Amino acid sequence: MIKIAVRQIGPGRLTRGLESDGRVDWDAHRGLHPEPQMLESGRLIALAEAGKLCGRGGAGFPFARKLQAVVDSAARRRKRTVVVVNGTEGEPGSAKDKVLLCRTPHLILDGAALAATALGSREIVLGVTDEEAAASMELAIQERELDERARVVRLPERFITGESGALVRGINGRRPIPPGRKGHASTRGVDGLPTLLSNAETYAQLAVLAGLGPDAYGKVGIPEEPGTVLLTVTGSARFPAVVETPSGAPLAHLLDLCGSRAGEGVLVGGYHGAWLTGDIATRTQVSRVSLSEAGGTLGAGIVMPLGRGTCPIGEVARVARYMAAESAGQCGPCRLGLPDVAGALAALAGGQDAADALERLRKAARMVVGRGACAHPDGLSRFVLTAMDVFEADAAEHVEYGSCGRPVLGVLPAETEAQLQLEVDWSRCDGHGLCADILRGIVRMDEYNYPVIPGEPIPSMLESDARRAVAMCPGLALRLVQRVPKEARK
């Protein structure tokens, strides 16, 4: 069972029955949640509009409009439809969807069945990456005897797997990376059919909305965003948890509940989100509007306070390296731009020609915006540039003194599955710089014209380039070695 606490501000809706650590099976679920009345498409669209239901996977797109788009596409093309539950949750700091998938799977299936019935869909597909989540959903399908109508597809656990185009490709049996051309699943999704694709929490919220009705659903939260919000609070929080809270609740209250203060900065929305100063965070409410006005985003429902004991520049640099490694590497901004961002941040964090590194960082982060095959470059750019604003004083210390004096504690999760690291035999290295040319953004040259080799593993997508750099090194000084596991370094 997923090991993270579940907390509530006010009565639980999505998290009802999760006070203990167990999974809610079919019989227990029906004792907690009434069976929702099945509706035809027009009435379900009207219900979603009345409840002002928006997607909970990151973009916050109105669910009624997404439903209508699938209805229109199916009618125009005279095709049947498919319902897809996005349960991939590739964000390292997020656990809210995994909690739903693993512990209250029938609430998700209630919402998916509502949508499938309204659209006349013959198939419900649940895309997941987590082994425990897959097992829980497969058991739920058996418990409900939905084997002929619903299926689980297990996909690789990577950050980009949850991007809608990547998810559709993965379900269709192709490599789960974003397609080069942007499209809409509502037009052409699974098997080329009009597809309703939303994340796991969205379907659970739909089930709650249908069970309560829009009036009762809107009795908590704020009028513009009725209902509750499911958030994952991690980072430096002493009591990390998945928290269900009414929209409009003070963010400071949420942090207090999880044993944290806003400190110098709080990341909201995850690694495609934005940083808020501690002062702004304490005056912000948990809602899309309030967070947006503060310069943040609700995004994937992630809140990560950063404690005062760790180096914020080093933390951001770790995440940037991870995010560059997690890209599909199929377009210029991801293949070249993100490694440049990560390399400049690593140099700034290490105090290596830090003034130039900061200038290169800002330029590279702005250059990738709006030019990628998906939103990955834009998301990382926002993460990095807002960090440089919030932690401006820390960046200045790195420029002036080479460090802010604090260690990098790894408060922000950024572990990679990459297995190979570069190693240099310095007795052979003559500083030719060919490795820096081949591995742009990964290896750079210092002021003495010698390569600066990263301590982190080489991103999987760049392993072939790394092997080429090793093979072409004029001094035969470079080699690839197996990474040392984190626990073995202690």
Side-chain angles (χ1 to χ4, degrees):
M1 197 59 60
I2 186 168
K3 300 296 190 296
I4 189 168
V6 175
R7 296 173 180 268
Q8 299 155 340
I9 298 176
R13 289 181 170 181
L14 301 175
T15 58
R16 190 178 180 190
L18 301 188
E19 292 78 7
S20 64
D21 293 332
R23 174 184 179 273
V24 179
D25 64 17
W26 177 227
D27 291 334
H29 171 73
R30 272 294 162 255
L32 293 167
H33 299 279
E35 184 172 359
Q37 179 187 356
M38 295 295 124
L39 304 172
E40 52 85 24
S41 60
R43 292 182 63 192
L44 189 62
I45 290 168
L47 176 70
E49 284 180 335
K52 298 181 181 178
L53 179 60
C54 291
R56 305 303 175 96
F61 193 79
F63 189 73
R65 287 173 57 189
K66 189 176 285 191
L67 271 169
Q68 187 67 63
V70 175
V71 170
D72 292 345
S73 178
R76 184 174 60 253
R77 297 179 58 207
R78 297 182 181 180
K79 297 285 187 180
R80 60 184 176 88
T81 61
V82 178
V83 169
V84 171
V85 178
N86 187 347
T88 55
E89 198 170 34
E91 284 266 3
S94 184
K96 69 179 183 70
D97 289 348
K98 288 187 181 72
V99 163
L100 295 175
L101 291 160
C102 293
R103 298 186 56 191
T104 184
H106 290 286
L107 194 60
I108 297 169
L109 285 177
D110 277 353
L114 269 167
T117 300
L119 295 171
S121 304
R122 299 178 189 172
E123 187 176 38
I124 298 169
V125 184
L126 299 107
V128 300
T129 56
D130 182 78
E131 182 179 2
E132 185 180 356
S136 174
M137 295 309 303
E138 285 170 350
L139 178 57
I141 290 170
Q142 293 171 13
E143 289 172 334
R144 297 170 74 121
E145 299 181 351
L146 284 175
D147 305 69
E148 295 184 0
R149 193 180 181 190
R151 62 187 172 103
V152 175
V153 175
R154 182 92 186 273
L155 299 165
E157 193 156 359
R158 292 195 62 197
F159 189 93
I160 59 169
T161 301
E163 193 273 339
S164 60
L167 179 59
V168 168
R169 284 169 61 98
I171 292 170
N172 285 338
R174 302 173 67 189
R175 186 183 173 202
I177 61 173
R181 295 180 180 179
K182 296 178 182 178
H184 298 286
S186 59
T187 301
R188 193 175 297 274
V190 173
D191 296 331
L193 300 170
T195 300
L196 178 68
L197 192 159
S198 281
N199 97 306
E201 186 196 342
T202 308
Y203 286 106
Q205 290 280 5
L206 178 63
V208 170
L209 172 60
L212 293 174
D215 291 339
Y217 184 81
K219 284 186 176 179
V220 301
I222 57 178
E224 300 82 10
E225 300 174 38
T228 63
V229 180
L230 206 57
L231 302 169
T232 310
V233 185
T234 54
S236 62
R238 283 187 297 151
F239 311 114
V242 169
V243 182
E244 184 176 11
T245 176
S247 64
L251 184 58
H253 186 183
L254 191 79
L255 295 173
D256 285 342
L257 182 70
C258 296
S260 182
R261 295 288 184 272
E264 296 178 20
V266 178
L267 176 65
V268 292
Y271 293 165
H272 278 178
W275 288 93
L276 303 179
T277 65
D279 180 56
I280 290 176
T282 56
R283 293 185 278 109
T284 301
Q285 295 179 336
V286 178
S287 74
R288 288 186 299 276
V289 171
S290 180
L291 286 167
S292 178
E293 289 174 348
T297 175
L298 183 62
I302 297 169
V303 178
M304 289 183 176
L306 197 65
R308 296 181 182 276
T310 191
C311 167
I313 306 302
E315 294 284 353
V316 172
R318 289 177 60 253
V319 173
R321 180 76 73 190
Y322 162 80
M323 293 287 275
E326 284 294 297
S327 81
Q330 63 178 340
C331 61
C334 276
R335 186 168 181 82
L336 301 175
L338 299 194
D340 278 354
V341 170
L345 256 171
L348 176 62
Q352 300 153 344
D353 197 8
D356 177 66
L358 182 57
E359 183 178 343
R360 287 189 289 115
L361 168 63
R362 293 188 182 278
K363 180 179 179 181
R366 292 190 180 104
M367 284 288 289
V368 301
V369 175
R371 300 172 58 204
C374 68
H376 191 59
D378 296 37
L380 180 60
S381 176
R382 180 168 50 245
F383 170 86
V384 167
L385 292 176
T386 56
M388 292 305 100
D389 291 340
V390 168
F391 303 115
E392 184 178 9
D394 298 274
E397 288 189 5
H398 279 258
V399 170
E400 183 71 21
Y401 307 111
S403 169
C404 63
R406 287 178 280 183
V408 181
L409 300 178
V411 171
L412 303 181
E415 280 296 301
T416 175
E417 294 183 0
Q419 295 298 314
L420 298 177
Q421 290 177 267
L422 284 172
E423 188 176 87
V424 176
D425 180 347
W426 294 109
S427 67
R428 291 175 175 269
C429 179
D430 292 323
H432 292 89
L434 188 59
C435 55
D437 289 338
I438 295 174
L439 290 168
R440 177 183 168 188
I442 300 295
V443 177
R444 66 177 186 84
M445 306 302 287
D446 65 14
E447 60 267 35
Y448 303 107
N449 209 36
Y450 278 86
V452 177
I453 304 297
E456 298 87 357
I458 295 295
S460 301
M461 69 175 187
L462 295 179
E463 282 185 8
S464 60
D465 288 343
R467 295 184 190 281
R468 186 159 62 94
V470 169
M472 295 180 67
C473 176
L476 302 179
L478 199 63
R479 62 179 178 173
L480 279 168
V481 297
Q482 198 74 14
R483 74 181 288 207
V484 178
K486 189 175 181 180
E487 52 273 15
R489 295 180 223 149
K490 298 179 180 177

